Amino acid sequence: MDDAKMTDIYDAQETLSDLRWQYWQQEVVFSWRWWLLLTASLVMIGVWLKLARKNEKPLLLLYALITLLIAVTLDVVGAELLLWDYPYMVLPWGARLFSADLGLGIILSLLYQYFRSWSGFAAASTCAAAVFAFVLEPLLIWLNIYNAYAWEHYYSFPCYIALACGLKAFTDYAARRGGNQLAGRG
């Protein structure tokens, strides 16, 4: 193969972008899977707004948004490396499976709210990781929303736990450093 040039990358990206747009228009938008993902996103936001304690929302929002940022980044990298991909997405570009990433952030932030001790949080996060990795991922594969090419569910399990616990440590630190305002105690 000849040396790749930036123009080659641009041309390939332009072709890929056009293909994604055409595929999304013809196969995805307004399909039942698209409606499922959109509805799940809206329901998860509603659940978070209902269950998140008002005085703790800034801290929970911090936890959820950082989770979302990390999950979206990992999803994009994993898809670019052809570890997995998503045939059905709410939007044709950007975050690959925003609905699942959003749900992950919401669920983990609510666990953070309800399980303040490390032992309780670690146990709840481990249970959630098992559900994410061994129930939801296979379900998304069965629904043809997620394709795992070079990825196994048991790889995801420790990643979910590490993400949850790492963000608890960070959020606890931010709450201590940010004082009462961020912690919802001001």
Side-chain angles (χ1 to χ4, degrees), residues 57-173:
K57 278 189 180 173
L59 193 60
L60 297 176
L61 189 58
L62 173 69
Y63 189 104
L65 289 177
I66 293 174
T67 303
L68 179 63
L69 176 67
I70 292 169
V72 165
T73 301
L74 292 174
D75 258 351
V76 169
V77 169
E80 289 294 322
L81 294 174
L82 300 176
L83 299 176
W84 58 73
D85 210 346
Y86 304 98
Y88 289 85
M89 303 184 313
V90 174
L91 297 173
W93 307 287
R96 302 295 183 150
L97 193 57
F98 183 77
S99 304
D101 297 335
L102 178 67
L104 180 67
I106 286 171
I107 290 167
L108 292 180
S109 71
L110 291 173
L111 291 180
Y112 179 78
Q113 172 182 274
Y114 290 110
F115 298 94
R116 288 301 189 162
S117 74
W118 267 103
S119 59
F121 184 81
S125 296
T126 300
C127 290
V131 170
F132 296 147
F134 303 118
V135 177
L136 293 179
E137 285 184 15
L139 177 63
L140 291 173
I141 288 172
W142 182 74
L143 293 172
N144 193 32
I145 291 173
Y146 167 60
N147 290 334
Y149 300 128
W151 192 258
E152 300 293 335
H153 306 305
Y154 60 87
Y155 300 162
S156 299
F157 179 67
C159 295
Y160 290 129
I161 296 169
L163 177 64
C165 292
L167 284 175
K168 177 179 173 30
F170 174 80
T171 307
D172 285 350
Y173 174 79

